[in-house]
C-alpha cells in the first residue's frame, strides 16, 4: 500500500513509469505557457474598499484567478504551515499512512491520484493529504498528530484562512449585489485543507502534477512554495503561469461560484506541471458547502437577458459526478438548453 505514494518510489526511477506518461495532446509542451502574461495581483490592504472590490470582481470575471497581498495572515504562520506540511510529506510512508487512518469514515486521507481518480487511466505526479477543517473544530480528533505541532499550526492556519476567505466572499457578494451574509451559512460550512506534494520528476515534459481541472469549490485559497513555477491557468486558450510571490495567496473561483453567479464569474481551468530539480509543496484551502446544500444561480444574477444557465444540484450529487466524470462533460450536462 505504501508504494502507492509517488514519494515512496520516485527516486528509484530515471524515467517515468508508463502509467504516468500523458498522451501527446495532454503534455505540457503541447500548449506552452504564454510569455509576459500574469494573473492580477490585488492589495487587500488598500484603503478604498470600492476600488479593491472592483479589482476582485474584474479579476474574477476575466481570469477566475488572482493573487492577494497584504491579506492579514501572519507571515510566521504561513511559514510554519508550509514547513509542517513539508515535514509531514517527508515522514516514512507507513507513519504517514497511519497518521491519516484514524477516521473510519475517511474525513482524513492520504492518497495519490491512482486511488482517488478512478476515471483517469494516466496518473499524476503528486501525493495529497486532505482533511476536513470546519470552524466548529469537528473532525480534529482525526487529524495527524505528527509532526508534533501539526494540530496546533493547522488549526490556527485554517481559522485564519476562513477569515480571509469570508473577507474575499464579502467583497464578491457586494460586487454581485448579493446580501452581505450570502456566503455565511451552509455554502461555506464544509471547508477542506489539501496539502499537495509534488516530488521532482525525471521527465517533466511527459507528466503533469495535476490535470487540467476546475475546482469543486466556492473559492480556493492556495499557498504556493517559493520560487517554483508550476501552476498554470487557462485563459482565452492560453496557459498563463502563476508566479509565486513570497507570502501571497492565490485565490481562484470554483465551479460552484460560477454556477451561483450564473456564469458571470469564471471557475477557470488550471493544471500543475512538474520539474526535475525540486520538490514542491502547496496548501489548498477549499471553501465548500455542506452536502445537502443546493447549488443554483442566485436570484439577483438571473435576468431576462441572462436566464439560468445551469440546473440546480445538491453539493453531494455535484461532488459524486465531479469525481467520476470529466468536468467539461459535467458542465455541459448542468447547462440547461437555451431554448
Ligand atoms: O498545487 C497547486 O499548485 C494547485 C492545486 C490545485 O489546483 C487544487 O488543489 O485544486
Ligand atoms: Fe485546483
Amino acid at each position: 500500500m505504501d508504494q502507492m505514494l509517488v514519494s515512496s518510489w520516485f527516486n528509484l526511477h530515471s524515467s517515468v513509469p508508463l502509467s504516468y506518461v500523458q498522451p501527446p495532446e495532454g503534455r505540457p509542451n503541447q500548449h506552452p505557457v504564454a510569455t509576459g502574461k500574469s494573473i492580477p495581483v490585488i492589495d487587500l490592504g488598500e484603503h478604498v474598499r470600492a476600488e479593491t472590490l472592483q479589482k476582485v470582481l474584474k479579476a474574477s470575471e476575466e481570469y477566475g484567478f488572482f493573487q492577494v497581498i497584504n491579506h492579514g495572515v501572519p507571515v510566521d504562520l504561513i511559514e510554519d504551515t508550509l514547513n509542517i506540511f513539508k515535514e509531514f510529506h517527508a515522514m516514512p510512508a507507513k507513519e504517514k499512512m497511519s497518521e491519516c487512518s484514524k477516521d473510519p469514515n475517511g474525513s482524513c486521507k492520504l492518497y495519490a491520484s491512482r486511488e482517488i481518480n478512478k476515471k483517469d487511466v494516466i496518473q499524476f505526479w503528486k501525493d495529497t493529504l486532505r482533511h476536513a477543517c470546519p470552524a466548529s473544530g469537528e473532525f480534529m480528533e482525526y487529524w495527524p498528530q505528527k509532526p508534533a505541532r501539526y494540530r496546533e499550526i493547522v488549526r490556527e492556519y485554517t481559522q485564519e484562512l476562513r477569515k480571509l476567505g469570508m473577507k474575499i466572499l464579502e467583497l464578491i457578494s457586494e460586487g454581485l449585489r448579493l446580501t452581505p451574509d450570502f456566503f455565511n451559512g451552509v455554502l461555506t460550512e464544509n471547508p477542506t485543507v489539501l496539502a499537495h506534494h509534488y516530488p521532482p520528476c525525471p521527465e517533466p515534459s511527459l507528466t503533469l502534477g495535476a490535470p487540467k481541472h476546475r475546482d469543486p469549490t466556492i473559492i480556493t485559497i492556495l499557498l504556493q512554495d517559493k520560487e517554483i513555477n508550476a501552476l498554470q491557468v487557462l485563459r482565452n486558450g492560453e496557459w498563463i503561469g502563476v508566479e509565486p510571490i513570497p507570502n501571497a495567496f492565490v485565490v481562484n473561483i470554483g465551479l460552484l461560484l460560477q454556477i451561483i453567479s450564473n456564469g458571470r464569474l469564471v471557475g477557470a481551468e488550471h493544471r500543475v506541471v512538474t520539474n526535475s530539480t525540486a520538490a514542491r509543496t502547496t496548501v489548498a484551502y477549499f471553501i465548500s458547502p455542506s452536502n445537502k446544500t443546493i447549488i443554483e444561480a442566485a436570484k439577483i444574477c438571473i435576468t431576462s437577458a441572462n436566464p439560468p444557465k445551469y440546473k440546480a444540484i445538491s453539493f453531494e450529487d455535484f461532488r459524486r459526478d465531479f469525481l467520476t466524470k470529466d468536468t467539461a462533460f459535467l458542465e455541459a450536462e448542468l447547462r440547461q438548453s437555451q431554448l
Side-chain angles (χ1 to χ4, degrees), residues 21-31 122 205-206 271:
V21 175
Q22 296 296 324
E25 67 277 11
R27 293 180 195 166
N29 298 347
Q30 214 63 22
H31 305 279
I122 306 300
S205 65
L206 301 180
R271 68 177 185 185

Side-chain angles (χ1 to χ4, degrees), residues 213 215 270 286:
H213 70 282
D215 288 351
H270 49 289
F286 273 20

Side-chain angles (χ1 to χ4, degrees), residues 65 126 194 196 198 210 213-216 220 222-224 230-231 252 270-272 280-284 286:
F65 262 83
K126 79 164 169 184
L194 297 93
H196 303 298
Y198 306 88
H213 70 282
R214 298 173 209 268
D215 288 351
T220 301
L222 182 80
L223 173 59
Q224 296 203 80
L231 175 61
N252 69 283
H270 49 289
R271 68 177 185 185
V272 178
R280 175 174 181 259
T281 302
T282 62
V283 186
F286 273 20

Side-chain angles (χ1 to χ4, degrees), residues 72-84:
V73 181
V75 172
D76 289 355
L77 180 60
I78 292 178
E79 275 171 14
D80 285 352
T81 302
L82 211 43
N83 286 336
I84 205 85

Side-chain angles (χ1 to χ4, degrees), residues 108-124:
C108 179
K109 218 167 160 38
L110 175 64
Y111 56 89
S113 65
R114 184 180 291 287
E115 209 206 344
I116 198 96
N117 243 350
K118 303 253 171 7
K119 67 174 191 247
D120 292 315
V121 181
I122 306 300
Q123 307 302 322
F124 299 96

Side-chain angles (χ1 to χ4, degrees), residues 233-274:
V233 178
L234 193 58
R235 178 174 187 248
N236 298 337
E238 273 186 328
W239 287 104
I240 300 179
V242 181
E243 232 167 271
I245 300 174
N247 304 313
F249 289 105
V250 180
V251 180
N252 69 283
I253 306 299
L255 192 46
L256 303 178
L257 187 48
Q258 179 177 319
I259 296 173
I260 291 168
S261 68
N262 202 22
R264 182 166 168 189
L265 308 187
V266 183
E269 287 180 302
H270 49 289
R271 68 177 185 185
V272 178
V273 298
T274 62

